[in-house]
Amino acid sequence: MAGLPPWPVACQHRTGKELEKVDARYFLSEQLDIPRHNAEVRALWESYAERRHARIPVLIVGSIRNLISNPAVNRTGYGFPAFFTSAKAQIACQLAFQDYIRHHWLCDHEMGIPENGWQLTLDFQNSWDQAWFGCPIRFFGETDVPDTVEILKDEPKLLNTWEDADPFWGRGDFMHKVMDLLGEMERICQAGLEYRGRPVLPPRRLPGHNTDGPFSVAIKLRGTVETMLDMLEYPERYHRLMDYVTRNQIARMKALREWAWERDGVPDDQRRLGEKLWFADDSIAMLSKDQYQEFVMPYHDRIFKTFDDGSGCAIHLCGNASHLFPLLVKRYHAAAIDTGFPVDHGALRRAIGPDVQINGGPTIMLVKDGTPR
């Protein structure tokens, strides 16, 4: 297939002068015993699940930004504008990135060529939720992550003219473009596409089964300063927007689950609206505990009560939301939380107890410039 990168094969085990032609900082220079590594990783995660692990598993987690925003790694010829709009670019970049991390990110994950094939997704980074609500996507450059336009920033009264969005199609034409992109990716994969001897599998689901958070999405619709001022000075306007966002997110999450059930042929008696819930709402880190409880928690409650199945949800909050995590963990029975590097992880562990998995890490500058010790 035209546009698929041959470079991961070429870079996989270069050493010496050959490696000098690329930026050696981003590539492993020594050949790894992949079967041995994968066996050790499987054993570690099995022992971790049973709480008999000898050490904490270590993961390096990134996104397609680590490919597209790094010219030293990206050999696909595609940037973000193409990645957001072209099926070939989505496929090529995702394969290149998966190949890269499976051969050059040494941590406690499976490495090497995946036995059952390369699984694609539909990736729109952090633009999906608000784009579904009609915010246009704004491109800045080939290596710059796109963002969306705040369509209620200057005209908040426009919300008064909006009807509820279609539960599947949302507002505007974004979902139509998404479905066209999905259809083209499926056609390419189903035509027999293989990569490095393994089949390439089309996306299984649409983004939007979960949520980036009603407060964060409200901010992307209205603007950060504007939303915060509305919250304190025009609470009726603020709550009208939060109610609109929340009830439409719930309707969308239901509709996308139903779409997936139909697509996968799930029998009616096996369809459960509740599932292990994942949700984020990064912007609540700006709020005090009292502000969160008054202005956002009622909307989180609505989402949680609709979709949680009792197995314990997972919560993602970038930045330092340590002052909110104990409340969130207790109220939403969190089994795992994602957090950013500004957090004092020891203090957080003491605050939430031993039974919640904390996914977090040190500042990237320590990883980049710190000593091995």
Side-chain angles (χ1 to χ4, degrees):
M1 172 186 165
L4 291 185
W7 68 267
V9 179
C11 291
Q12 186 176 342
H13 298 305
R14 286 184 173 185
T15 57
K17 291 185 178 180
E18 289 184 323
L19 199 57
E20 292 175 3
K21 297 177 183 178
V22 296
D23 194 328
R25 295 176 300 170
Y26 300 107
F27 301 94
L28 290 180
S29 58
E30 298 180 3
Q31 188 160 351
L32 183 69
D33 185 340
I34 290 177
R36 177 181 175 181
H37 167 86
N38 289 344
E40 291 174 349
V41 165
R42 283 193 297 271
L44 174 62
W45 283 106
E46 288 171 2
S47 66
Y48 178 76
E50 298 172 0
R51 295 203 172 192
R52 53 179 179 79
H53 48 293
R55 66 171 176 83
I56 296 294
V58 177
L59 294 174
I60 304 171
V61 180
S63 77
I64 202 71
R65 303 177 190 196
N66 295 102
L67 177 91
I68 298 177
S69 296
N70 188 350
V73 174
N74 186 11
R75 294 292 184 269
T76 67
Y78 293 117
F80 272 111
F83 183 73
F84 268 52
T85 56
S86 162
K88 286 187 176 182
Q90 281 264 337
I91 294 172
C93 291
Q94 289 190 46
L95 290 177
F97 184 55
Q98 289 185 45
D99 197 315
Y100 172 60
I101 65 176
R102 293 181 74 93
H103 290 94
H104 297 283
W105 285 15
L106 182 55
C107 60
D108 293 321
H109 67 171
E110 182 182 271
M111 297 185 72
I113 298 173
E115 195 64 35
N116 297 322
W118 306 86
Q119 182 62 59
L120 301 176
T121 64
L122 279 164
D123 187 350
F124 296 92
Q125 294 292 282
N126 292 99
S127 293
W128 166 273
D129 224 326
Q130 59 269 24
W132 185 88
F133 277 97
C135 291
I137 295 174
R138 176 169 50 192
F139 296 103
F140 303 101
E142 292 297 313
T143 60
D144 298 315
V145 181
D147 200 355
T148 49
V149 178
E150 298 138 327
I151 53 179
L152 297 176
K153 185 170 188 174
D154 298 321
E155 299 184 73
K157 292 183 180 179
L158 274 178
L159 180 63
N160 299 333
T161 69
W162 289 3
E163 297 180 354
D164 281 350
D166 181 274
F168 184 88
W169 295 105
R171 299 186 68 257
D173 63 353
F174 174 70
M175 272 295 292
H176 295 275
K177 295 177 180 178
V178 168
M179 295 305 290
D180 288 343
L181 198 65
L182 173 63
E184 182 62 18
M185 293 173 74
E186 289 178 332
R187 285 190 288 274
I188 291 171
C189 293
Q190 291 166 1
L193 178 64
E194 290 189 349
Y195 182 65
R196 305 207 39 192
R198 297 291 188 275
V200 179
L201 309 174
R204 294 172 177 170
R205 307 177 87 183
L206 294 168
H209 280 249
N210 292 299
T211 171
D212 278 335
F215 186 62
S216 297
V217 173
I219 280 175
K220 297 305 293 187
L221 290 168
R222 175 79 174 108
T224 303
V225 173
E226 291 77 8
T227 303
M228 298 290 277
L229 288 174
D230 285 350
M231 186 177 70
L232 299 176
E233 296 186 4
Y234 305 100
E236 183 179 349
R237 177 190 295 169
Y238 166 83
H239 285 292
R240 186 183 304 119
L241 176 58
M242 286 292 288
D243 177 69
Y244 181 88
V245 169
T246 303
R247 71 172 183 266
N248 280 279
Q249 284 181 326
I250 289 172
R252 181 196 70 213
M253 292 164 70
K254 289 180 178 179
L256 294 190
R257 282 163 170 73
E258 291 169 355
W259 176 86
W261 292 332
E262 291 294 330
R263 184 172 184 259
D264 296 340
V266 177
D268 290 345
D269 61 353
Q270 296 180 21
R271 298 182 180 189
R272 299 287 185 271
L273 192 60
E275 60 180 22
K276 189 173 182 63
L277 177 66
W278 177 96
F279 76 92
D281 212 337
D282 292 337
S283 298
I284 66 172
M286 297 187 291
L287 305 178
S288 70
K289 181 179 176 181
D290 289 343
Q291 287 172 329
Y292 168 74
Q293 289 179 294
E294 179 179 356
F295 292 105
V296 180
M297 192 168 71
Y299 301 101
H300 284 176
D301 284 350
R302 287 164 61 178
I303 294 171
F304 181 79
K305 289 175 181 177
T306 304
F307 295 103
D308 181 69
D309 66 357
S311 64
C313 70
I315 302 172
H316 169 86
L317 294 177
C318 287
N320 189 353
S322 298
H323 60 297
L324 299 176
F325 272 127
L327 170 62
L328 292 166
V329 166
K330 182 178 180 180
R331 189 169 188 86
Y332 302 121
H333 318 298
I337 56 176
D338 256 350
T339 179
F341 66 82
V343 170
D344 180 334
H345 292 93
L348 180 59
R349 169 59 68 210
R350 291 189 291 274
I352 65 174
D355 297 322
V356 181
Q357 177 173 294
I358 301 173
N359 304 318
T363 166
I364 192 61
M365 298 313 296
L366 178 63
V367 177
K368 180 176 180 292
D369 297 326
T371 66
R373 179 172 180 176

